[in-house]
Amino acid sequence: MNSIGEHLLPGQLGHFFVIFAFIASLLSTIAFFISSGKIQKPEHQYWLRFARIAFFAQVAALIIVFSIVFYICSNHLYEYMYAYKHASLELEKKYLLACIWEGQEGSFLLWAICHAVFGSIIITRRNSEMLKGWEAPVMTVVGLAQFFLLFMILGIYIGDLRIGNSLFSLTKNEIDAPVFLRDDYLKYVKDGIGLNVLLRNYWMVIHPPVLFMGFASTIIPFAFAYAGIRTKRYGDWVKPALPWTLASSAILGVGIMMGAKWAYESLSFGGYWAWDPVENASLVPWLILIAGLHTMVVYKSTGHSLRASYLFAILSFCFVLYSTFLTRTGVLGDTSVHSFTEKGNVIKVMITSFVLSFSLPSLILFFIHYKKIPTIHKEESTNSREFWMFIGSLVFFLTAIFIIAKTSVPLINSIFGTTIAPPEDVEFSYNKVGVLIAFIIGLLTAFGQYLKYKDSGKNYLLKKIALPTLVAVILTTMLAIFYPIEYDKRGIGFQVIIYLALAATIYAFVANAAYIWIVLKGKLLHGGASIAHAGFALMIFGMLISSSNKKVISSSSVNGIVMPAGEDPMTKEKDNPRENLTLIRQVPTAMGEYEVTYTKDSSGKEKGRKFYNLQFERKDANKNIRESFQLQPDVYLMKDNNFSSNPDTRSYLTKDVFTYLSYALNNDAIQDTAQFRIVEMHEGDTSFYNGGYIILNKVLKNPVNNKYHYKPTDVALMADITVVGKDSVKRSAMPLIEVDSLGVINYDDTLYAQNLYLRFAGVGNNHHIKVGIKQSDLPIDFVTVKAFIFPFVNLVWLGLIVMAIGLVISMLQRGRFSPAAAGITLLAVSCALVYMFLFANN
């Protein structure tokens, strides 16, 4: 039954095209599969043409569905549940776009569109030398993944059983409330729930699409591994898969670190990585992908490690699916702030079937054909490049297994009935292993490329790497002397391991930079691997140095005001109250080398959002201001005085000043009932109030003051008043009264430290000045701030950029792109990465 004001046509069209895309994906998968088994038969081309038509029909349908969802959200059609849950009137256009992938159904749609992009590239480039003969088996896998993704947003009923969650279900059918029984219910639905306040950020617009593009890209190496077995061309698949693996490594790596940058800029746990289960679940496929990338290179050069390449290519996509299972079925419980689930078991069953339908058959197929996969039985020489590359791949793989095993503890407990508890310090349980891994990988990355394939000879390595080793030793020694590690909470042993990891990353950076000049003679476009290794080393060095020497500058010992400790939203650990500084409004307070004043607050565009202006000043010995800047951390204030805090950062070349609010009053929810008390005073008179007394110094006519603006024809009087509190501190106040053509206007002055409001109320008999004095019933306005100095944090983002550029260079080289196309691609990627990570903000 139609209700008044409903716009049902967009939803009907959208639902039709979801079903159309679902059927098209099934038909294309079947046709590609049949075609892949009839390569030498006449009907091969017929099935291939049909499969292509069905696939592109599906792509067109997905684009239409995406456009309709955006139309519904951007036009606030709240008769649709998806718009009601994720859109709201105050959202900017960019956030209305981000609404699409906030929900589970929209994220599946985004994932399907990413698969469609990669599938379209495979089809359109099918006649290239790299892809010839691979289209049908590879697209069989892509089409099957599309089938499952569309299955989960199908939204059709079989009896009382709903298959998939529709993007176009009606709100009145989803919410059991009396208002939705009315024909005119839309009159009472004034606004939607809107985007989660933590997600209203610049990075929400670009991070999920890039991350899902990275997730989706892992299906291509997986599909090539399947195609190698399907066509019995067991080793040939590596060559076309290698450029895709490089591209996938770059995209997924950038997507993950976009999330880290988002966390750093927008979350208040004071960092960019908290070993949250969802962060871990995204990292694991990338680690396995990197392992597979190196074994593929080994196979291309020596014939070794083909079986490992199969396994890593399969597992990288399988763990993408497993991470989906972890984050969308509720098995993580409350261990992650990222995970989201839907009510009911149907979606759990569908996601589980998606995971199992790819993981089990692919692994079974791999082990059935294991002995048929060519291998060289002769062991690699320990003096060869391939031996140490395989060791490095194994380290990456075992790291991934360690991380996913710890992340899966809630699932293990639920399946086996165990009660494995998380460690007391979750972050340290990961960090202590991570630092050791950084040390090992740093060393392997440093000397690995200097070795030759198969055998390097006895003295070859020493001759080539002697100079980089010496430089690295000198730089590490200088670091230890002039910028020692200050992190000592875990004892001297852990501090030594940090130094070893730092030495290894310095060694890796220097050695790979030197490799380009010593071995490659400065040919940067042939040094993609060395550039990527140097970038990775720089990124890990930045992580180690910024985390180890992170310094809290907001000590409550400055003013002795200690607020109760809150809980970190990411780590769930109690915050140290003595690392939080309370700032009373308009009272300058020392914070490290800065003097900080909380000056004012202001409401943002979104309802409940407030920005707090903090004025930072750094002075020299003579109290002259050497530097001044303003930070505006903000919070979303709730009715129950809870809030969500977003930090603000002042970035320098060598450090960041990172600040967020750990407590803020919600005075807007409290009504001030205090009234002005009028006293009459002459110049020089004194009047008392509960917290001290005031002195009327003089009255100025039409004063020149930047605080007040009035026309030359207006009459203005300003009272120059000195306020002396119980602390004997003298403060100045200057309330003003203005008379213009519209009447009398009072400009009150406020001393927040005294909770005192002063008003120039008028002029009485005998030139008495009427002064209004009000002591507010509200609590004194203050905020509690936590602030860090992050040293050299920009090295993290710079290292990522360099690593991604190196991977792209290698991809362009191995993909045999034309010089023009390669140059344009490299320039575009470099500019985009530099802008996003070093210059863009919210």
Side-chain angles (χ1 to χ4, degrees):
M1 183 178 71
N2 293 357
S3 299
I4 298 170
E6 287 183 328
H7 302 79
L8 299 183
L9 182 59
Q12 291 166 348
L13 284 173
H15 196 207
F16 167 77
F17 280 108
V18 168
I19 296 171
F20 179 86
F22 173 74
I23 296 171
S25 68
L26 179 60
L27 293 176
S28 69
T29 303
I30 294 170
F32 276 125
F33 179 77
I34 295 172
S35 174
S36 67
K38 297 179 178 291
I39 293 178
Q40 304 302 326
K41 297 182 180 181
E43 58 264 39
H44 167 71
Q45 286 298 324
Y46 166 78
W47 283 108
L48 207 51
R49 282 195 296 271
F50 178 80
R52 291 169 190 157
I53 291 170
F55 185 83
F56 281 122
Q58 172 217 144
V59 172
L62 286 172
I63 294 171
I64 292 171
V65 171
F66 187 89
S67 302
I68 291 173
V69 176
F70 179 66
Y71 173 81
I72 287 172
C73 290
S74 61
N75 285 278
H76 308 288
L77 302 184
Y78 297 135
E79 54 266 44
Y80 293 100
M81 187 64 182
Y82 204 77
Y84 178 72
K85 282 174 65 177
H86 304 292
S88 56
L89 295 172
E90 83 271 13
L91 292 182
E92 302 171 46
K93 279 288 184 184
K94 62 182 180 181
Y95 296 141
L96 288 171
L97 179 65
C99 286
I100 299 175
W101 45 80
E102 184 198 22
Q104 185 150 272
E105 303 90 342
S107 63
F108 283 135
L109 175 63
L110 178 63
W111 193 351
I113 288 174
C114 293
H115 277 166
V117 170
F118 290 120
S120 299
I121 294 172
I122 293 287
I123 294 174
T124 54
R125 289 179 59 86
R126 63 186 180 274
N127 293 322
S128 65
E129 183 183 348
M130 297 284 286
L131 295 176
K132 210 161 192 178
W134 295 104
E135 177 193 4
V138 168
M139 289 305 300
T140 300
V141 176
V142 176
L144 184 62
Q146 294 293 79
F147 168 81
F148 275 100
L149 288 169
L150 290 163
F151 190 44
M152 285 184 281
I153 61 172
L154 200 55
I156 62 172
Y157 282 86
I158 300 176
D160 293 331
L161 180 65
R162 182 165 69 179
I163 306 300
N165 294 330
S166 175
L167 286 154
F168 306 103
S169 59
L170 296 176
T171 308
K172 65 182 181 182
N173 296 335
E174 299 294 326
I175 300 179
D176 185 16
V179 68
F180 294 107
L181 299 176
R182 301 175 59 104
D183 284 344
D184 60 346
Y185 74 90
L186 283 175
K187 285 200 313 183
Y188 302 94
V189 182
K190 301 297 184 182
D191 200 1
I193 296 171
L195 199 65
N196 186 310
V197 295
L198 290 175
L199 304 180
R200 298 181 188 186
N201 183 273
Y202 159 82
W203 290 102
M204 178 59 183
V205 182
I206 60 173
H207 163 60
V210 174
L211 186 64
F212 273 99
M213 190 72 77
F215 286 154
S217 66
T218 62
I219 200 173
I220 304 300
F222 175 93
F224 272 111
Y226 160 80
I229 294 175
R230 169 77 171 155
T231 61
K232 295 182 172 58
R233 297 161 64 186
Y234 292 109
D236 294 346
W237 67 276
V238 173
K239 182 178 179 181
L242 194 48
W244 286 96
T245 307
L246 285 159
S248 182
S249 300
I251 297 169
L252 184 55
V254 168
I256 292 168
M257 291 307 293
M258 278 183 171
K261 181 74 167 173
W262 181 3
Y264 179 68
E265 290 186 355
S266 302
L267 299 179
S268 58
F269 66 90
Y272 38 78
W273 197 265
W275 295 109
D276 180 86
V278 175
E279 294 174 339
N280 298 348
S282 65
L283 179 62
V284 165
W286 185 80
L287 291 171
I288 297 175
L289 196 65
I290 293 297
L293 169 62
H294 287 83
T295 55
M296 287 181 197
V297 172
V298 168
Y299 173 74
K300 279 283 295 169
S301 302
T302 67
H304 285 285
S305 300
L306 180 57
R307 290 172 177 174
S309 298
Y310 267 103
L311 182 62
F312 294 150
I314 291 169
L315 288 180
S316 60
F317 183 64
C318 289
F319 274 109
V320 166
L321 299 182
Y322 180 64
S323 70
T324 303
F325 171 79
L326 286 179
T327 57
R328 297 167 188 270
T329 59
V331 298
L332 292 176
D334 297 327
T335 61
S336 173
V337 297
H338 292 86
S339 61
F340 57 95
T341 61
E342 297 291 339
K343 293 181 179 179
N345 292 319
V346 175
I347 195 69
K348 292 183 182 180
V349 173
M350 297 176 75
I351 294 173
T352 303
S353 65
F354 186 17
V355 177
L356 296 179
S357 296
F358 276 83
S359 302
L360 290 183
S362 61
L363 290 171
I364 291 170
L365 201 60
F366 167 68
F367 287 114
I368 288 173
H369 289 262
Y370 184 80
K371 291 185 178 179
K372 298 177 184 178
I373 298 172
T375 185
I376 297 174
H377 294 286
K378 182 184 176 182
E379 294 292 334
E380 302 101 320
S381 167
T382 56
N383 204 27
S384 65
R385 181 187 291 191
E386 63 269 23
F387 175 82
W388 293 105
M389 286 180 69
F390 180 77
I391 294 297
S393 297
L394 199 58
V395 171
F396 272 111
F397 175 66
L398 293 176
T399 303
I401 297 302
F402 164 76
I403 293 171
I404 204 65
K406 284 180 65 67
T407 304
S408 301
V409 165
L411 177 62
I412 294 169
N413 285 339
S414 66
I415 293 175
F416 298 104
T418 54
T419 55
I420 303 172
E424 187 176 341
D425 189 337
V426 176
E427 282 196 48
F428 181 66
S429 71
Y430 285 100
N431 288 339
K432 63 185 179 182
V433 176
V435 173
L436 287 172
I437 298 301
F439 171 68
I440 296 169
I441 292 297
L443 290 181
L444 294 176
T445 305
F447 71 79
Q449 283 203 104
Y450 285 87
L451 295 169
K452 292 182 178 180
Y453 285 110
K454 298 183 179 177
D455 197 347
S456 303
K458 291 184 177 180
N459 297 318
Y460 178 81
L461 178 62
L462 292 175
K463 291 179 182 178
K464 293 287 185 180
I465 207 168
L467 180 59
T469 303
L470 178 62
V471 172
V473 168
I474 293 171
L475 290 176
T476 304
T477 304
M478 291 176 65
L479 177 71
I481 295 171
F482 297 108
Y483 194 66
I485 296 301
E486 297 178 0
Y487 184 84
D488 57 2
K489 292 180 181 179
R490 298 294 171 178
I492 188 65
F494 189 63
Q495 197 173 45
V496 169
I497 296 172
I498 293 174
Y499 271 114
L500 290 174
L502 284 168
T505 54
I506 291 171
Y507 191 21
F509 178 80
V510 172
N512 280 279
Y515 183 86
I516 297 171
W517 304 107
I518 294 172
V519 180
L520 299 180
K521 309 301 182 185
K523 296 176 182 177
L524 286 173
L525 296 181
H526 292 279
S530 296
I531 293 171
H533 291 159
F536 181 73
L538 187 63
M539 181 175 69
I540 300 301
F541 176 84
M543 291 177 177
L544 289 167
I545 202 75
S546 62
S547 300
S548 299
N549 281 354
K550 179 175 73 172
K551 182 181 179 182
V552 178
I553 59 173
S554 51
S555 173
S556 62
S557 61
V558 172
N559 56 17
I561 303 175
V562 181
M563 294 298 295
E567 186 178 71
D568 190 293
M570 296 291 286
T571 64
K572 303 298 181 184
E573 295 179 353
K574 284 289 184 181
D575 200 6
N576 183 352
R578 296 198 174 277
E579 292 182 351
N580 295 265
L581 179 62
T582 298
L583 302 176
I584 297 172
R585 191 164 178 175
Q586 293 184 345
V587 177
T589 307
M591 184 188 288
E593 62 179 339
Y594 300 100
E595 187 177 79
V596 183
T597 306
Y598 161 40
T599 58
K600 64 178 180 177
D601 59 57
S602 57
S603 298
K605 294 179 182 178
E606 296 93 346
K607 185 178 179 181
R609 188 177 189 182
K610 265 194 172 182
F611 292 85
Y612 292 81
N613 288 26
L614 305 179
Q615 186 68 38
F616 282 71
E617 292 180 348
R618 187 162 59 91
K619 300 179 179 179
D620 58 22
N622 298 320
K623 302 297 182 180
N624 296 317
I625 297 175
R626 295 179 57 191
E627 180 188 13
S628 177
F629 61 88
Q630 189 177 93
L631 292 180
Q632 286 189 311
D634 66 274
V635 299
Y636 285 94
L637 293 166
M638 315 300 180
K639 290 181 180 179
D640 57 0
N641 215 32
N642 288 326
F643 63 89
S644 166
S645 181
N646 295 310
D648 196 10
T649 304
R650 172 75 170 186
S651 292
Y652 298 85
L653 185 63
T654 59
K655 68 177 181 181
D656 277 5
V657 180
F658 178 96
T659 306
Y660 71 90
L661 300 183
S662 49
Y663 186 83
L665 282 173
N666 187 5
N667 275 342
D668 294 346
I670 307 172
Q671 186 175 2
D672 186 7
T673 58
Q675 301 292 324
F676 279 99
R677 173 174 62 88
I678 305 298
V679 297
E680 294 191 1
M681 306 175 68
H682 280 294
E683 290 184 355
D685 285 354
T686 297
S687 182
F688 290 87
Y689 69 100
N690 289 342
Y693 60 91
I694 68 171
I695 303 170
L696 176 62
N697 299 316
K698 58 184 174 181
V699 175
L700 302 175
K701 183 177 180 181
N702 292 345
V704 178
N705 192 303
N706 293 330
K707 186 176 178 179
Y708 304 111
H709 303 281
Y710 41 82
K711 299 176 184 176
T713 55
D714 297 339
V715 176
L717 296 174
M718 185 175 73
D720 182 346
I721 297 174
T722 297
V723 179
V724 183
K726 290 181 179 179
D727 54 5
S728 300
V729 176
K730 294 183 179 180
R731 299 175 177 89
S732 176
M734 294 188 176
L736 180 138
I737 187 170
E738 176 188 353
V739 181
D740 62 10
S741 58
L742 298 177
V744 178
I745 305 171
N746 294 105
Y747 295 96
D748 302 338
D749 204 352
T750 308
L751 278 76
Y752 290 96
Q754 298 290 307
N755 233 9
L756 183 68
Y757 295 78
L758 296 174
R759 172 177 291 178
F760 197 136
V763 180
N765 296 328
N766 301 319
H767 301 291
H768 280 89
I769 305 301
K770 296 181 179 181
V771 178
I773 303 174
K774 182 176 78 170
Q775 289 184 269
S776 175
D777 292 337
L778 299 178
I780 293 176
D781 195 5
F782 71 92
V783 293
T784 303
V785 177
K786 190 164 186 177
F788 302 92
I789 298 292
F790 271 102
F792 300 101
V793 70
N794 283 329
L795 293 181
V796 176
W797 320 123
L798 182 61
L800 169 72
I801 292 168
V802 174
M803 182 185 73
I805 289 173
L807 289 169
V808 170
I809 289 173
S810 295
M811 183 268 293
L812 295 171
Q813 187 182 30
R814 291 187 179 273
R816 298 183 181 179
F817 284 69
S818 67
I824 293 171
T825 303
L826 186 59
L827 180 63
V829 168
S830 301
C831 291
L833 290 172
V834 169
Y835 173 74
M836 285 189 298
F837 283 95
L838 298 182
F839 295 105
N841 53 54
N842 193 20

